[in-house]
Amino acid sequence: MIQIDKLRKVYRSRGRAVTAVDDVDLTVGEGEIFGVLGRSGAGKSTLLRCVNLLERPDSGRIEVDGQDLLALSGGELRRARQRIGMIHQHFGLLSSRTVAGNVAFPLEVMGVPRGERAARVAELLDLVGLTDHARAYPAQISGGQKQRVGIARALAGRPKVLLSDEATSALDPETTASILELLRDLNRRLGLTVLLITHEMDVVKRICDGAAIMRDGRFVESGPVRDLLLRPGSELARDLFPLPAPDPRPGTTVADVTFEGDSADRPFVSSLARTYAIDVNILGGAVEEVGGTRVGRLRVELPGDPETNAAQLAHLRDAGLTVEVHGRSEVEAAR
């Protein structure tokens, strides 16, 4: 649904050049929710605004729903943008209009007849749970309700793609959870493809199918969330499951064990201890619900160096677990 190739965007001012997006490739499949994580200044917002050409890139290719946006004329691009909804961090509602009036605004711009417009607004308010607030003004509703208005407005043109620009960062945790649940529900009910940017790991954990970590305009890693969590050395896994800094003692092996799905219910620590008659020291760990599946990460210490524990480490991998050994190269750890 979204295909981006070699995207590059440079801002120039007073003789200085700042590269906001640098040679980024991105593929988001139809019906997928994809999150781009990164700190402020990483280039996330610029990337998002390039998708609907609110920012025009210096080079690269942007294809949405089979259309090469950079090849479209003015009228063609306006029509293509109607199929790309966008929700914003700070809502962007018109204070002089009611909730219904804000949702109706893009329909007015599109020239939708009054009767059809009213029916569509009622449908959208029901979809986001705001039917009872249709006549309220933005100042009279909560932040979460304002964001629901923003989501309804973004859906007015029946888009196939929804872009979310830090849509939950201004909300409290409980309201954030309700908005994420709404986005996932809309994704499933309407078949929406969602591309969102965020600095909140909880957003990725709750609803994303795929994710990328962005830094200095580039993707550090990208792919399905499950694959990233099970990949040795993954930054996403490290951020989602923060553990103490590894500090292997002489004559010991420190390893991170990642498990998910059925393997999360298996007593692999006790099985390892019984099979090899060793003491297994648990240094830290966490279990989270990611995309409806239990995923966890455990840092363990085994007596003996990694070579001595080759059979023990193979035992864990044979049980379907991902094992990353500290103090060794990635290639060695994967053997």
Side-chain angles (χ1 to χ4, degrees), residues 42-60:
K44 309 185 304 297
S45 292
T46 300
L47 172 64
L48 196 75
R49 291 169 64 84
C50 283
V51 174
N52 57 7
L53 292 192
L54 291 178
E55 295 280 0
R56 188 167 284 269
D58 292 273
S59 60

Side-chain angles (χ1 to χ4, degrees), residues 137-259:
Y137 286 87
Q140 299 172 314
I141 60 177
S142 69
Q145 290 168 332
K146 290 175 184 177
Q147 194 56 280
R148 287 174 180 264
V149 177
I151 293 171
R153 182 182 56 189
L155 297 175
R158 303 182 189 277
K160 291 186 176 181
V161 171
L162 187 63
L163 307 180
S164 171
D165 186 2
E166 298 274 14
T168 60
S169 63
L171 305 176
D172 62 77
E174 184 177 349
T175 305
T176 291
S178 71
I179 293 298
L180 294 178
E181 185 178 344
L182 173 62
L183 288 176
R184 174 53 93 180
D185 182 57
L186 293 172
N187 159 257
R188 289 169 175 164
R189 292 172 61 180
L190 305 179
L192 282 172
T193 300
V194 182
L195 175 61
L196 57 86
I197 64 169
T198 183
H199 62 270
E200 300 171 283
M201 185 59 66
D202 197 55
V203 173
V204 173
K205 180 179 72 175
R206 285 179 177 270
I207 67 170
C208 288
D209 304 303
I213 294 179
M214 195 170 190
R215 186 162 56 241
D216 298 329
R218 288 178 170 266
F219 281 175
V220 177
E221 61 183 20
S222 177
V225 169
R226 180 183 178 278
D227 291 354
L228 293 179
L229 292 178
L230 298 179
R231 181 183 299 169
S234 165
E235 288 198 24
L236 184 69
R238 188 172 65 239
D239 291 344
L240 183 58
F241 303 106
L243 297 172
D247 186 19
R249 295 180 298 164
T252 66
T253 300
V254 174
D256 289 345
V257 182
T258 305
F259 48 91

